[in-house]
Amino acid sequence: MAKESGPRNRNHFGSSSKSRLEDEGFKDMDDGSICHRNPTAPFTRPENLMNNSSNIRNISFGTYPDDGVSPSPDEGIEEEKAPFEEERPGPVQIVRARESDCIFDLDIGALEKILLQDHLKDLNVVVVSVAGAFRKGKSFILDFMLRYMYNQVHDSWIGGEDEPLTGFKWRGGCERETTGIQVWSDVFVVEKPDGSKVAVLLVDTQGAFDSQSTIKDSATVFALSTMTSSVQVYNLSHNIQEDDLQHLQLFTEYGRLAMEETDSKPFQTLMFLIRDWSSPYEYNYGLEGGRAFLLKRLEVKNNQHAELQNVRKHIDSCFSNTSCFLLPHPGLKVSTNKDFDGRLKDIEEDFKTQLTELVPHLLAPDRLVEKMISGSKITCRDLVEYFKAYIKIYQGDELPHPKSMLQATAEANNLTAVAGAKDLYSRNMERVCGGDKPYMAPADLEHCHAAYCEDSVRYFCSIKKMGGKEFCQRYQDQLETELEEAYNAFSKHNEGKNIFYAARTPATLFVVMFFTYVVSGVTGFIGLSFFAALANLILGVALLVLCIWAYVKYSGEFREAGMLIDQLAEVLWEQRTVRKVISKLLEPVRSHLAWPLSLLPSLPSGATLGLKAVDPLNNNYKKTN
């Protein structure tokens, strides 16, 4: 599957038979006449490859493996079974999105099969990736890179005028073609001028902003390709617009979040490839015009808005090297002819001329950029491990989900309205039960809460917000929940001002001690020693708890113990257990008092005492008239 770079016929799929192309998975490509190989080109038969012990097809001396494909069986001739059939090169999808939950999965087996071959795994790797919006010709330009890698020794690597363009799947139209991340199955082994060998991997990516992908999908694909590539080609159309830079900022930041923080810049080389450039009279086609144009676009000026400055500074802080190439339009036949299959005769000369400058600039042996992470060069074996690590991060919930500009703005707009409404509620409540205000009856406090809560919700609804009714309703529900939480905090603060509430714990403990003391005395007097001992034990425990509570309140230490004691006393108080017990004990006394008084005809019941027979702890004593 690996190739040593050298001259090779750029039609990598051997036979010109249309049925053979369909067998290889290219049946979705637009129909067109199939170009036969030039019979004068030098070939090497497959049987000659058997002598190569390393199983690397050496094509550095004008050789090319003839696939020797016979006519297909549907043409009436049986296909002979070759004694040795090599797996044909083609695009391999290594990252794909699940349709159910839009989470990306890595095909580890496919990636390891390509990169962990014995002659490749320890070589430093060069990864050239093309990314950008969908239907902008990324796969089309990658196929010319494939032609160069197979034929770079020849000056005519770009191919014949009448030969279709094959390689990564591409077609005209408005619907997306590539999904996820694909790599070319052949890894090209190239010898650099210093004598070292590197492995060159070409990567194609799913286009951003298509109708079937979310912002998170686009950000994940772009970030993964940027993190794993040594050269990222940012494919744009016509110009570099401000939203292109903002999307680049979003995607690179999403990638930088997944990487370990280092002092060096996280990414290496970024090339802005401007397609269909229509202003050569301002900036010439090619690298020189692109350099001047990019310098103008990324210039940071003192009079610029802070937002524009931040975008440009961010891009500069992310990439070690940035460049730009201005590529002309390939011609109307390319963009309007549905049967266009990549033949050079249908492409404008300006485009072909600039293409012969662009591709060698990226892939010539002396121009190759080896992949580095944290200052260390990465081998093919290392790249597999980094892919595994990065995909796990994007499969988890560690990173925030990127959002569209509208969604992010709508969220900020609604959150601001929520904060303003909550602040209005807090100010109103502070006026009635703030820190310098006296204790307020709970019923009155609840009434104020209901009124101020309604005012705050009305204030929230009065603010103009983005996102629509359903979107804003979520934030209104959030506001109401936060107001209830704020009310609970105000209510507890108000209760803390009640002196009787503060004395509830010691009062409860004193009542328990008094009650157990009385029970102990009575049971001891009548000879129930066991119950007397139990009551004394409870009395001692209550006294000990009271001492601990007093120490906690005085010293401020062991606050958890103090809170536990307060909670226990509050449970006893709220259940009115002590009061119920005392009420039961006083019932006989009340009944004895009420019986003789009822015998007095001249006085109403209870008139002698001036009290009604009520619960003495209910603070509801009333004098009779």
Side-chain angles (χ1 to χ4, degrees), residues 9-11 35-36 38 144 147 151 156-165 342-347 352:
N9 190 299
R10 91 280 156 300
N11 190 346
C35 176
H36 295 269
N38 187 347
F144 282 105
R147 282 191 177 183
N151 303 275
S156 59
W157 61 265
I158 198 170
E161 288 289 319
D162 201 36
E163 298 177 5
L165 183 65
R343 299 171 192 264
L344 293 178
K345 68 179 183 180
D346 296 327
I347 299 177
K352 292 185 284 187

Side-chain angles (χ1 to χ4, degrees), residues 555-566:
S555 66
E557 300 177 1
F558 309 109
R559 297 174 60 190
E560 292 78 7
M563 293 174 59
L564 183 61
I565 295 172
D566 285 332

Side-chain angles (χ1 to χ4, degrees), residues 590-591 593-594 605-606 610-616 621-622:
R590 290 204 301 264
S591 62
L593 289 175
S605 178
L611 297 174
K612 287 187 178 181
V614 295
D615 186 345
Y621 300 105
K622 295 182 181 179

Side-chain angles (χ1 to χ4, degrees), residues 24 121 136 143 185 220 251 278 321 336 364 419 425 458 467 488 555 560 583 610:
E24 293 305 314
K121 59 186 179 182
K136 299 298 183 182
D143 286 341
S185 60
T220 300
F251 297 158
S278 58
N321 180 40
T336 60
Y425 172 83
R458 190 182 301 112
N488 291 334
S555 66
E560 292 78 7
S583 297

